[in-house]
Amino acid sequence: QVQLTESGPGLVHPSETLSLTCTVSGFSLTGYSVYWVRQPSGKGLEWMGRMRYNGDTSYNSALKSRLSISRDTSKNQVFLKMNSLQTDDTGTYYCTRDMGNWGQGVMVTVSS
Amino acid sequence: DIVMTQSPFSLAVSEGEMVTINCKSSQSLLSSGNQKNYLAWYQQKPGQSPKLLIYYASTRQSGVPDRFIGSGSGTDFTLTISDVQAEDLADYYCLQHYSYYTFGAGTKLELK
């Protein structure tokens, strides 16, 4: 059974760095790509970036300067790091396998 | 970047009615290589993760009721829900994945 679970701090202070982990089961990170998508509270979905099955990454051009995605295949984990957080980065962050199977999401609030 | 224009922003319907949601892309999503349109539709209920309904513009994901119909090609796409049920009340998003990934702004389907 395919499962993705996001984890990370619920609260981040402005200008700090967000670090999130997506832990997967039921499939291999070397066989499928994992994407990060976020959703500001009450708003729409935004694709953030992708970790391809072969280790290549790609990023939303609007976030590229602040964003980094990496992985540890031995731990079945994909990581997201985004720096210089502001209040409009508040929302729910999802990881998804090939945009088909989704995690439940993790809520992140940026506030002092 | 490809821009996705989704309409309407919201839609109030009664059970049993048919509804149509539209998405227009700023460039063609049709691949000349495999003649597939790189357009997907998602349903998101309150407090839940997005759920993939339709991919390649018109292929229903396994388990999706046949009252959900995707159509269109090139730059103009439609999601039709025939015989709307109360369980269909949700937000709907289109997603282009022809060149990176861009979501439409979403359509909220509400009960009249």
Side-chain angles (χ1 to χ4, degrees), chain A residues 31-49:
Chain A
Y32 292 86
S33 300
V34 171
Y35 301 68
W36 287 96
V37 174
R38 69 176 180 175
Q39 185 169 35
S41 301
K43 296 189 177 179
L45 301 165
E46 179 183 36
W47 172 70
M48 300 182 71

Side-chain angles (χ1 to χ4, degrees), chain B residues 8-46:
Chain B
F9 175 75
S10 66
L11 210 44
V13 298
S14 300
E15 277 194 85
E17 288 186 350
M18 182 177 76
V19 301
T20 299
I21 299 169
N22 301 294
C23 249
K24 187 175 183 67
S25 58
S26 59
Q27 65 185 74
S28 177
L29 306 182
L30 178 63
S31 167
S32 57
N34 59 11
Q35 291 300 296
K36 291 186 184 298
N37 286 280
Y38 284 70
L39 187 284
W41 289 97
Y42 290 84
Q43 176 193 66
Q44 186 180 32
K45 296 181 179 179

